[in-house]
Amino acid sequence: QVKLVESGGGSVRARASLTLSCAVSGWTDERYCMGWFRQPPGKEREGVALIDNDGDTMVATSLKGRFTIDKQNDSNMLYLQITTLNPEDTAMYYCVAGGKEKCLLTYYSGADVSQTPARFDYWGQGTQVTVSS
């Protein structure tokens, strides 16, 4: 059974940095697409960043330069590093996992990662990030 458990969220001031973590267990397929979505208050869920088993990464255009996704295969941990946080980053952040085709769909469609369909097989419970000005 695949299980995703996020941690690292919290309440911070603007311009702070955070690293969100996701512990991945039960995933057995060597091919995968994993990543992060977020849902700001009162808004739709949106894609933030994706990474596949080849280590290829994609980040939403508006977040490039501040958001970095990384996966440590030896520990099965997925990370999202966020710098220079601003109040617009306030959201529930979710870790996701699915087959590699989820990444390929976004890559070959040319669509922005923020438009990635939220149709991943597995989701964590979410970790809240609140940024005050």
Side-chain angles (χ1 to χ4, degrees):
Q1 182 179 356
V2 178
K3 187 175 182 182
L4 308 174
V5 180
E6 302 98 333
S7 61
S11 296
V12 298
R13 299 293 296 271
R15 295 181 296 280
S17 298
L18 273 179
T19 295
L20 307 183
S21 302
C22 175
V24 182
S25 61
W27 185 271
T28 59
D29 193 339
E30 62 181 11
R31 301 178 81 247
Y32 60 78
C33 178
M34 297 186 183
W36 295 88
F37 277 69
R38 69 181 185 180
Q39 187 165 18
K43 296 185 179 180
E44 295 288 321
R45 199 169 291 188
E46 63 180 5
V48 172
L50 302 173
I51 186 168
D52 67 14
N53 55 283
D54 290 323
D56 294 325
T57 62
M58 293 179 282
V59 177
T61 299
S62 66
L63 304 179
K64 286 180 180 177
R66 295 195 302 119
F67 285 61
T68 304
I69 187 171
D70 186 33
K71 188 176 186 295
Q72 297 298 317
N73 292 326
D74 55 349
S75 59
N76 284 327
M77 293 294 294
L78 184 69
Y79 298 100
L80 184 69
Q81 299 167 16
I82 314 172
T83 62
T84 320
L85 280 153
N86 60 66
E88 289 69 42
D89 295 318
T90 294
M92 184 70 80
Y93 285 74
Y94 297 92
C95 175
V96 299
K100 187 169 182 174
E101 70 278 0
K102 306 294 186 186
C103 282
L104 295 178
L105 179 66
T106 295
Y107 181 78
Y108 286 112
S109 71
D112 194 86
V113 171
S114 62
Q115 303 301 311
T116 299
R119 293 195 291 266
F120 278 72
D121 304 299
Y122 302 99
W123 291 74
Q125 82 286 352
T127 187
Q128 178 69 38
V129 174
T130 302
V131 185
S132 59
S133 57

